[in-house]
Amino acid sequence: MLIRRETPADAATVREVTSRAFARPDRPVPVETVLLDELRGDPAWLPALSLVAVDAGGVVVGHVVATRAHVGPAPALGLGPLSVHPDHQRRGVGSALMHAALGAADALDEPLVVLLGDPAYYGRFGFVPAAEHGIEPPVADWRPYFQVRTLSAYDPGVRGAFAYAEPFARV
């Protein structure tokens, strides 16, 4: 498996992978797919932080994206969606994408990455409850699942309300 930046030619396949990863009988188009579509057209989209996992045959089997977000006025990243095609789940694709995304964000001097997800899963990548760093979720009920991973450029003085890219509020 290879992790690389997404190219324009990957967009349709990434959309399909995301749709398959989050498919449910009651949702013909998963909200994560709609979010991805909306993020692509938003100024918060950061092409350097849209990564794909490609199998030995050159087929995209996973995707992760981090977009511009803020803690108060300070820049931050919002991670997600993280998608792995169902035929490739539980094979380390998601972990590889997470490590690559965090490494790329750190290399770009981003201070921190925030996400909403399962603490048992994301804790293995160094995520902790955002409240431990004084970062508050946009929705109070998210607090148990709202997590942060600080990076090398992190400034402990950055505290306050977190704001995702605008498409997160629309979907």
Side-chain angles (χ1 to χ4, degrees):
M1 173 179 48
L2 170 71
I3 306 294
R4 63 167 171 76
R5 281 180 58 174
E6 176 188 348
T7 67
D10 296 322
T13 305
V14 165
R15 188 178 197 284
E16 177 65 21
V17 166
T18 302
S19 293
R20 296 280 307 273
F22 291 99
R24 286 187 11 198
D26 62 327
R27 287 191 313 193
V29 178
V31 68
E32 294 82 0
T33 302
V34 175
L35 175 60
L36 184 60
D37 290 345
E38 292 281 326
L39 286 170
R40 281 187 192 286
D42 194 84
W45 184 265
L46 302 171
L49 294 174
S50 180
L51 306 174
V52 294
V54 181
D55 71 9
V59 176
V60 172
V61 298
H63 175 258
V64 67
V65 64
T67 51
R68 176 60 58 220
H70 292 88
V71 176
L77 293 174
L79 190 134
L82 167 64
S83 308
V84 177
H85 190 284
D87 294 344
H88 295 270
Q89 291 176 359
R90 304 204 188 307
R91 296 184 187 176
V93 176
S95 291
L97 284 164
M98 281 300 300
H99 287 296
L102 293 171
D106 199 37
L108 292 169
D109 289 325
E110 294 291 345
L112 56 90
V113 178
V114 174
L115 60 76
L116 188 63
D118 180 4
Y121 179 78
Y122 290 105
R124 71 182 85 179
F125 304 107
F127 283 87
V128 298
E132 290 182 15
H133 291 282
I135 299 171
E136 294 300 318
V139 177
D141 290 345
W142 293 356
R143 197 165 276 115
Y145 308 100
F146 194 67
Q147 301 164 71
V148 65
R149 168 68 153 74
T150 60
L151 303 171
S152 299
Y154 173 66
D155 173 0
V158 173
R159 305 170 80 74
F162 181 82
Y164 278 106
E166 210 238 298
F168 280 88
R170 288 197 308 258
V171 297

